[in-house]
């Protein structure tokens, strides 16, 4: 049988005022279903997924990174998985870089790279396998608590966390001389503000885009699943470093999205990841829409 050629990455363009976002699907990730409710009995998670006709062994998720083009320059939000492979998964990621070349945004044209947090699917493409920065002219921004946490050690006794620390070390250490850390909420460039959203990781960062009266809230990984994260925002993900703070962050961002009628973007929602939050009978939900 003739090998099937690799498909080009999925790309969608979206505007927030005069900010142009190019959303790129870096490739799917398989996430163990039981990990969606790490503080609940596996039977409870299975029952929820079965009730909604969803797979009970794993959840296949998109992994979105994106380019922002504005009068202030070119900003890249996260760098995809790169060459890395999560334990138990197969490598289908790392499509970001070919997509950037295809849309006319080569690495040397990127002015700023924001690393929302240091999980492998967000920082794995920050450097070449030789350790050289992939975006040679860019400033790299990351929350100071995120930098401190992931550079404090290189190994962990848990195999998945060990993988995460190894990738973080591999990708962050070569950037030490060009990393700029920040604390609190932080203006990245005109129209783009980083918001503290801790819990998933210590320095997990959301982003708020505002331009010409239009607004979009990037919740990043605070809301990972298109149903369960909204139906049960108090359920903890297995990879939440601080589950209590993660729950508070989810609740806060959901409240903000509803009260301020914001479109939201989630990096693991079905591609391209943009939708709106609604609230009915004190329960939240998400529906995909670009409007």
């Amino acid at each position: 049988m003739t090998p099937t050629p690799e498909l080009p990455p999925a790309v969608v363009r979206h505007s927030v005022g005069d900010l142009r976002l190019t959303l790129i699907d870096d490739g799917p990730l398989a996430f163990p279903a039981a990990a969606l409710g790490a503080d609940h009995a596996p039977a409870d998670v299975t029952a929820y997924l079965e009730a909604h006709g969803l797979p009970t062994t794993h959840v296949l998720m998109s992994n979105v990174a994106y380019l922002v083009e504005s009068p202030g320059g070119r900003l890249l939000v996260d760098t995809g998985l790169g060459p890395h492979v999560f334990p138990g998964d197969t490598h289908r990621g790392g499509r970001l870089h070919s997509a950037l070349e295809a849309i006319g945004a080569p690495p040397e044209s990127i002015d700023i790279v924001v690393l929302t947090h240091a999980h492998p699917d967000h920082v794995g493409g920050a450097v070449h396998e030789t350790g050289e920065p992939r975006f040679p002219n860019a400033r790299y921004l990351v929350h100071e608590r995120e930098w401190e946490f992931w550079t404090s050690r290189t190994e962990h006794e848990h195999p998945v966390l060990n993988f995460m620390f190894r990738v973080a070390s591999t990708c962050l250490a070569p950037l030490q001389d060009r990393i700029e850390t920040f604390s609190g909420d932080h203006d990245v460039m005109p129209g783009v503000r980083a918001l503290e959203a801790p819990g998933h990781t210590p320095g997990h960062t959301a982003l708020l885009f505002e331009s010409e009266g239009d607004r979009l809230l990037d919740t990043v990984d605070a809301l990972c699943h298109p149903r369960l994260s909204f139906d049960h925002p108090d359920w903890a993900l297995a990879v939440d470093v601080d589950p209590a703070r993660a729950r508070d962050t989810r609740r806060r961002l959901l409240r903000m999205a509803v009260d301020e009628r914001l479109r939201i973007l989630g990096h693991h929602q079905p591609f391209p990841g943009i939708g709106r939050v609604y609230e009915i009978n004190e329960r939240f939900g998400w529906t995909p829409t670009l409007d």
Side-chain angles (χ1 to χ4, degrees), residues 31-37 42-59 225 227-228 235:
F31 196 75
L36 293 173
D44 293 340
V45 181
T46 298
Y48 175 88
L49 295 172
E50 286 180 340
H52 293 88
L54 298 170
T56 58
T57 56
H58 70 279
V59 178
H225 192 271
R227 291 201 65 106
L228 193 145
W235 288 23

Side-chain angles (χ1 to χ4, degrees), residues 68-274:
V68 182
E69 295 173 282
S70 79
R74 279 181 164 169
L75 162 68
L76 183 67
V77 178
D78 288 338
T79 65
L81 185 61
H84 308 284
V85 185
F86 275 94
D89 202 358
T90 57
H91 187 260
R92 293 162 294 199
R95 302 178 185 178
L96 170 68
H97 302 294
S98 60
L100 289 174
E101 293 283 0
I103 64 174
E108 60 271 15
S109 73
I110 305 301
D111 301 300
I112 303 172
V113 176
V114 170
L115 301 175
T116 62
H117 62 298
H119 279 170
D121 46 320
H122 297 263
V123 302
V127 299
H128 291 282
E129 294 185 61
T130 58
E132 293 297 314
R134 275 193 175 268
F135 305 97
N137 300 319
R139 301 157 47 213
Y140 286 76
L141 303 183
V142 66
H143 194 284
E144 65 180 14
R145 286 199 303 268
E146 196 71 6
W147 176 263
E148 291 166 0
F149 180 78
W150 292 102
T151 58
S152 65
R153 60 194 297 182
T154 58
E155 296 182 352
H156 196 281
E157 57 274 13
H158 190 284
V160 174
L161 286 175
N162 186 53
F163 165 74
M164 289 181 168
F165 273 102
R166 283 193 291 104
V167 174
S169 176
T170 297
C171 295
L172 295 180
L175 302 176
Q176 185 167 3
D177 293 339
R178 60 180 68 210
I179 282 281
E180 297 179 21
T181 61
F182 62 88
S183 61
D185 296 344
H186 177 74
D187 290 322
V188 176
M189 63 192 304
V192 184
R193 186 166 179 77
L195 306 178
E196 287 195 322
H200 185 62
T201 62
H204 181 263
T205 300
L207 292 164
L208 180 63
F209 297 90
E210 299 184 90
S211 176
E212 298 180 346
D214 197 8
R215 304 171 82 207
L216 173 73
L217 174 64
D218 180 4
T219 62
V220 192
D221 281 13
L223 299 161
C224 278
H225 192 271
R227 291 201 65 106
L228 193 145
S229 296
F230 299 85
D231 279 346
H232 296 293
D234 294 334
W235 288 23
L237 290 174
V239 291
D240 287 342
V241 170
D242 186 336
R245 296 194 77 181
R247 285 192 289 268
D248 290 344
T249 291
R250 276 192 287 276
R251 288 274 180 190
R252 176 170 56 86
L253 295 179
L254 286 167
R255 188 79 267 151
M256 180 180 177
V258 169
D259 291 349
E260 301 182 28
R261 301 181 60 81
L262 297 172
R263 296 192 310 285
I264 69 166
L265 167 63
H267 289 220
H268 300 305
Q269 304 295 350
F271 186 78
I274 295 178

